[in-house]
Amino acid sequence: MKYQTINGHNFYNMVVNASNRLLEESEYVNSLNVFPVPDGDTGTNMSATFKAAVKEIEGLNTESIAEASKKLAKGALMGARGNSGVILSQILRGISKGLEGKTEVNAVELAIAFKEGSNSAYKAVMRPTEGTILSVIRAASEAAIETDVKDIVDLMDVVVNAAKVMLDKTPELLPALKKAKVVDSGGMGLYIILKGMYDALKDDIKAEIKDIKPSEAKMQGAQGTEDIDIKFGYCTEFIILADASHADKFRDDIIPMGDSQVVVGYEDVIKVHIHTNDPGAVLAKAVKLGELSKIKIDNMREEHREVLLSKEEYNLKNENKEEVIEAEEKKYAFVAVAMGEGITNIFKDLGVDYVIEGGQTMNPSTQDIMECISKLNAEHIFVLPNNKNIIMSANQAAEISDKDVRVIPTTTIPQGITCVTMFNPESEVDENEESLKETMSMVKTGSVTYAVRDTEMDGIEIKEGNMLGLIEGKIKKVGSSYCDVAEEVLSEMIDDESELITIFYGADVSEEEANEFAAKVEEKYEDLDVQCYRGAQPLYYFLMSVE
């Protein structure tokens, strides 16, 4: 096929085909993670982000490439997961900016849009690292600008080839990639997207959005079969195509009509979620603001009866557990990200308002964080990501929100718990923000997990199945026993200034094993306080902190 211009319909097929290809290859992209711990989730995060983007344009029938790209970018922005997903959302945001106001574009205009995508991605990263997805989009966009081809299929061919050349160079730019003999995983994800877009245009593919299989969606089974009282029976979700400035008033209007209200506004879209007994009344109020889209009403009582027969309905269980929004405004509120029932309960016991399930291998999206922020009636909201791969999504949520949201860039669970413990509700918000950032820097964190592949890092030979001891995310110890490795990690973390050791044992460690290990630590460091808690976190046998 030959195309001198492309419009919204062509663009739709290009990005949907790209999303499908990335979904198919997401596990392969995950496997390129150079770090041998079980958290290689780049492919999962990028695929989930792009899937959220194309879901936003599902069924869209428009000639305008500007309209299609704007909705795509908005979906990616809200659905962004992990650093790779946030960067991808910024690429799409920049491309949308470059296509603004256009019904169709020629090769020159599309090349400019790709360059805008590259610029936007680089601006989103505080310290851009070459040899990553950033290098790939930059090389692709520069090649697009420099070529003089007129046919857009030929342009996309140039873009894909330039992306592949740079992708193959990433090991030369990042020594860790070269040592692991892999290319950058984020760059590979982007290459798959660009190739999918090219193939759709070249082969005239009329793409349909593929669904993620349950086994790929990282869902947990519903726990228990106890009967519950569902006060409001219809889970109602929809989008209002209206000015986002109306979101707060609409949220106030529907508070008496149900519970679990979530009303999120962004530009010209308001997304609504509510559990109610009268969906019609809610929709009648909504239609006064603007046109309604993507209306979804589920009978939760009927669905729950099915859950009692089958433990596969994870989302329903979570929705039924949502807490009613506190009506009275308070000065401070907290949102934290955590994995593991025990750690979640610790955060809640410390007064954290919402704990989002997530962490290694399961990064929450910008929208997940936004929805928690939207539920809170507080003057100031602190978000604790507790994982370096969630900080960008949290920052993006804070940027979108019209509330005062402060992200404390915690990278570990112990940092987050210490921050909540040391928080002073009597202090002013700026003072608290500064104090929490200082507090988190005083917490040393160690962990023990297992190796998922053979490799060598920093002169340490690692075999698949080895126990790995990490300090501040860097592999320091390797062994065959997680208790022995944990002891070695602690010995390197403890110094003359140390006063407190905190141990969180994971889902694969028995209470007896944990108590024996804690007793051994207490005996070895008799001058230090030792605390041991059930974290029940997956993947990590121990999370430990020294303060």
Side-chain angles (χ1 to χ4, degrees):
M1 297 291 292
K2 295 288 184 182
Y3 290 88
Q4 294 299 305
T5 61
I6 58 170
N7 60 20
H9 298 303
N10 307 127
F11 187 75
Y12 178 93
N13 287 318
M14 290 167 71
V15 296
V16 170
N17 190 59
S19 175
N20 292 341
R21 295 286 178 85
L22 184 58
L23 175 59
E24 292 166 1
E25 298 291 336
S26 60
E27 285 305 316
Y28 170 64
V29 176
N30 285 343
S31 73
L32 298 175
N33 182 44
V34 297
F35 219 47
V37 299
D39 63 353
D41 51 7
T42 301
T44 301
N45 284 338
M46 292 185 73
S47 182
T49 300
F50 210 70
K51 182 69 182 291
V54 298
K55 275 290 187 181
E56 190 67 25
I57 63 171
E58 187 173 17
L60 183 67
N61 185 18
T62 179
E63 291 278 342
S64 170
I65 196 168
E67 182 183 355
S69 64
K70 184 177 182 180
K71 286 184 177 293
L72 185 83
K74 191 175 298 179
L77 186 73
M78 299 301 286
R81 295 178 187 271
N83 293 346
S84 57
V86 173
I87 293 171
L88 177 59
S89 75
Q90 292 303 314
I91 292 173
L92 296 177
R93 196 176 191 178
I95 290 173
S96 173
K97 180 181 176 183
L99 299 176
E100 194 171 0
K102 295 176 170 44
T103 301
E104 60 181 25
V105 293
N106 59 29
V108 172
E109 292 167 321
L110 184 59
I112 292 171
F114 276 121
K115 186 60 179 169
E116 288 285 358
S118 176
N119 293 342
S120 179
Y122 270 86
K123 287 176 184 175
V125 180
M126 188 173 298
R127 287 181 291 275
T129 301
E130 295 302 331
T132 64
I133 185 176
L134 294 173
S135 302
V136 176
I137 185 59
R138 176 178 53 76
S141 65
E142 287 175 353
I145 292 290
E146 291 168 5
T147 186
D148 57 0
V149 300
K150 303 299 181 186
D151 179 68
I152 295 181
V153 174
D154 292 339
L155 174 71
M156 289 304 301
D157 189 28
V158 169
V159 166
V160 169
N161 285 330
K164 183 64 166 63
V165 169
M166 178 53 73
L167 179 64
D168 290 341
K169 287 181 180 177
T170 56
E172 302 302 321
L173 298 172
L174 282 177
L177 296 175
K178 188 172 185 177
K179 186 171 289 187
K181 297 179 181 178
V182 295
V183 295
D184 178 67
S185 55
M188 175 59 80
L190 180 61
Y191 169 72
I192 291 168
I193 289 171
L194 295 173
K195 183 71 163 54
M197 294 174 70
Y198 166 62
D199 288 342
L201 205 58
K202 174 173 65 74
D203 299 332
D204 195 29
I205 295 172
K206 300 297 186 286
E208 295 182 3
I209 298 173
K210 291 183 180 178
D211 288 327
I212 298 175
K213 297 176 183 177
S215 61
E216 296 170 339
K218 296 190 180 295
M219 294 191 293
Q220 297 178 357
Q223 298 173 356
T225 57
E226 67 275 10
D227 197 11
I228 59 173
D229 177 26
I230 300 177
K231 184 177 180 182
F232 297 100
Y234 297 95
C235 175
T236 306
E237 296 179 273
F238 56 91
I239 289 173
I240 311 173
L241 304 180
D243 191 324
S245 63
H246 298 299
D248 288 344
K249 185 178 185 306
F250 184 75
R251 184 188 304 115
D252 294 340
D253 287 346
I254 65 172
I255 281 177
M257 304 176 74
D259 67 9
S260 298
Q261 296 96 341
V262 179
V263 181
V264 180
Y266 178 70
E267 290 188 354
D268 56 355
V269 168
I270 302 172
K271 184 167 183 176
V272 181
H273 170 283
I274 184 175
H275 294 174
T276 180
N277 283 329
D278 193 348
V282 176
L283 295 174
K285 281 186 175 292
V287 78
K288 293 178 183 178
L289 292 181
E291 186 179 341
L292 305 186
S293 173
K294 292 184 171 61
I295 300 171
K296 179 174 175 283
I297 302 172
D298 293 323
N299 183 334
M300 294 193 298
R301 295 187 181 98
E302 180 180 61
E303 289 183 353
H304 183 64
R305 286 191 289 270
E306 294 176 5
V307 169
L308 298 182
L309 301 176
S310 169
K311 292 186 177 183
E312 297 176 0
E313 295 292 340
Y314 165 79
N315 288 332
L316 176 65
K317 187 71 174 180
N318 267 7
E319 285 184 3
N320 288 338
K321 281 186 175 180
E322 286 182 356
E323 298 172 4
V324 177
I325 304 168
E326 186 176 353
E328 185 179 349
E329 182 180 12
K330 56 184 181 178
K331 186 172 182 178
Y332 292 117
F334 274 89
V335 175
V337 181
M339 284 195 77
E341 178 192 352
I343 289 172
T344 295
N345 290 337
I346 290 169
F347 274 117
K348 288 183 176 180
D349 290 344
L350 290 172
V352 170
D353 299 83
Y354 283 100
V355 181
I356 304 172
E357 184 179 8
Q360 300 300 89
T361 76
M362 196 172 76
N363 300 151
S365 68
T366 297
Q367 183 162 349
D368 292 333
I369 299 169
M370 271 294 298
E371 288 182 354
C372 287
I373 291 170
S374 300
K375 294 175 186 178
L376 291 167
N377 189 14
E379 189 178 346
H380 310 289
I381 300 169
F382 287 101
V383 178
L384 303 171
N386 301 329
N387 186 294
K388 66 180 182 180
N389 207 32
I390 301 173
I391 293 172
M392 287 186 75
S393 296
N395 285 335
Q396 193 155 268
E399 180 186 339
I400 296 169
S401 177
D402 57 1
K403 299 182 179 182
D404 181 35
V405 180
R406 313 289 180 101
V407 177
I408 307 301
T410 50
T411 59
T412 68
I413 293 293
Q415 283 183 350
I417 289 174
T418 301
C419 281
V420 179
T421 304
M422 301 300 291
F423 177 73
N424 183 1
E426 303 303 319
S427 297
E428 292 304 311
V429 63
D430 291 338
E431 183 182 346
N432 260 319
E433 182 178 13
E434 183 178 346
S435 174
L436 293 183
K437 288 179 178 179
E438 183 179 346
T439 295
M440 60 169 273
S441 67
M442 298 169 63
V443 181
K444 298 177 186 177
T445 302
S447 58
V448 180
T449 185
Y450 59 92
V452 295
R453 63 174 62 84
D454 294 350
T455 188
E456 182 183 326
M457 301 202 74
D458 299 325
I460 302 174
E461 186 177 351
I462 298 167
K463 297 294 184 183
E464 182 179 346
N466 280 163
M467 297 296 113
L468 302 179
L470 294 84
I471 299 176
E472 307 302 347
K474 294 184 178 180
I475 297 171
K476 296 293 185 180
K477 305 294 179 183
V478 177
S480 57
S481 161
Y482 48 75
C483 287
D484 290 347
V485 171
E487 189 176 350
E488 291 177 18
V489 167
L490 281 176
S491 68
E492 189 163 324
M493 292 168 62
I494 291 168
D495 57 30
D496 292 340
E497 304 295 320
S498 302
E499 298 178 354
L500 172 66
I501 300 171
T502 307
I503 302 164
F504 304 93
Y505 63 94
D508 295 323
V509 180
S510 69
E511 183 178 1
E512 183 181 1
E513 285 178 305
N515 288 336
E516 287 178 4
F517 175 66
K520 190 174 182 180
V521 172
E522 284 181 321
E523 184 179 349
K524 186 174 180 179
Y525 304 103
E526 55 185 19
D527 294 334
L528 278 63
D529 290 331
V530 178
Q531 299 176 349
C532 185
Y533 301 99
R534 175 179 172 270
Q537 69 273 5
L539 306 179
Y540 285 77
Y541 300 103
F542 292 108
L543 295 175
M544 303 172 292
S545 65
V546 175
E547 301 172 57

